[in-house]
Amino acid sequence: MSSLIRHVTIDSLDAYALGSFWAEALGQPLHEDDHPGDPEALIEGAGLLFVTVPEAKTGKNRLHFDLQPQDRTRDEEVTRLLGIGAVLVDDRRREDGTGWVVLADIEGNEFCVERSKAEREA
């Protein structure tokens, strides 16, 4: 018998706030039972479970998300994510159009934005 990953669980200071950021970033809703102040928030379609813990993030992520925009360019997606509260950590874009951008979410968790499929095929 084998196992499957049911959720990726992310510790947070405010599960609902962080879950809401990622729900907007991914264009997927939080579970209908989740409300401000709840100790957990779930984005069921993405398999992401946010849980409130007392301690803040203290170091570099050991695991991070690499996002690939589906209906816009990498640069448009970076602009959109910055607009919803992400912060620029490192810009690894190259003159030839390759590379990625490292951002952090509203609690400082780093993630990358890569080129879209269309950009990779061009």
Side-chain angles (χ1 to χ4, degrees):
M1 169 133 325
S2 61
S3 294
L4 61 85
I5 296 173
R6 182 166 176 227
H7 302 119
V8 174
T9 301
I10 301 162
D11 291 350
S12 59
L13 293 174
D14 183 335
Y16 186 83
L18 188 58
S20 294
F21 170 87
W22 280 102
E24 188 167 349
L26 299 174
Q28 296 190 32
L30 283 178
H31 192 277
E32 63 188 24
D33 292 337
D34 293 329
H35 303 285
D38 286 353
E40 297 179 354
L42 174 64
I43 303 174
E44 201 163 21
L48 299 177
L49 176 63
F50 301 88
V51 297
T52 300
V53 298
E55 57 277 340
K57 179 181 177 290
T58 58
K60 184 180 183 314
N61 297 14
R62 295 292 303 242
L63 173 93
H64 71 267
F65 301 130
D66 288 341
L67 303 184
Q68 183 182 49
Q70 299 299 297
D71 59 353
R72 59 184 61 99
T73 68
R74 173 195 56 213
D75 296 347
E76 291 168 337
E77 183 67 345
V78 167
T79 298
R80 184 183 77 84
L81 293 166
L82 290 170
I84 65 169
V87 175
L88 179 65
V89 173
D90 192 15
D91 192 334
R92 300 280 181 106
R93 291 176 277 199
R94 299 183 191 109
E95 288 184 25
D96 66 358
T98 62
W100 63 93
V101 178
V102 181
L103 300 176
D105 67 23
I106 62 171
E107 289 199 11
N109 301 300
E110 297 91 2
F111 64 97
C112 296
V113 182
E114 300 180 352
R115 294 179 296 158
S116 68
K117 182 179 178 184
E119 288 174 297
R120 288 176 181 275
E121 294 173 349

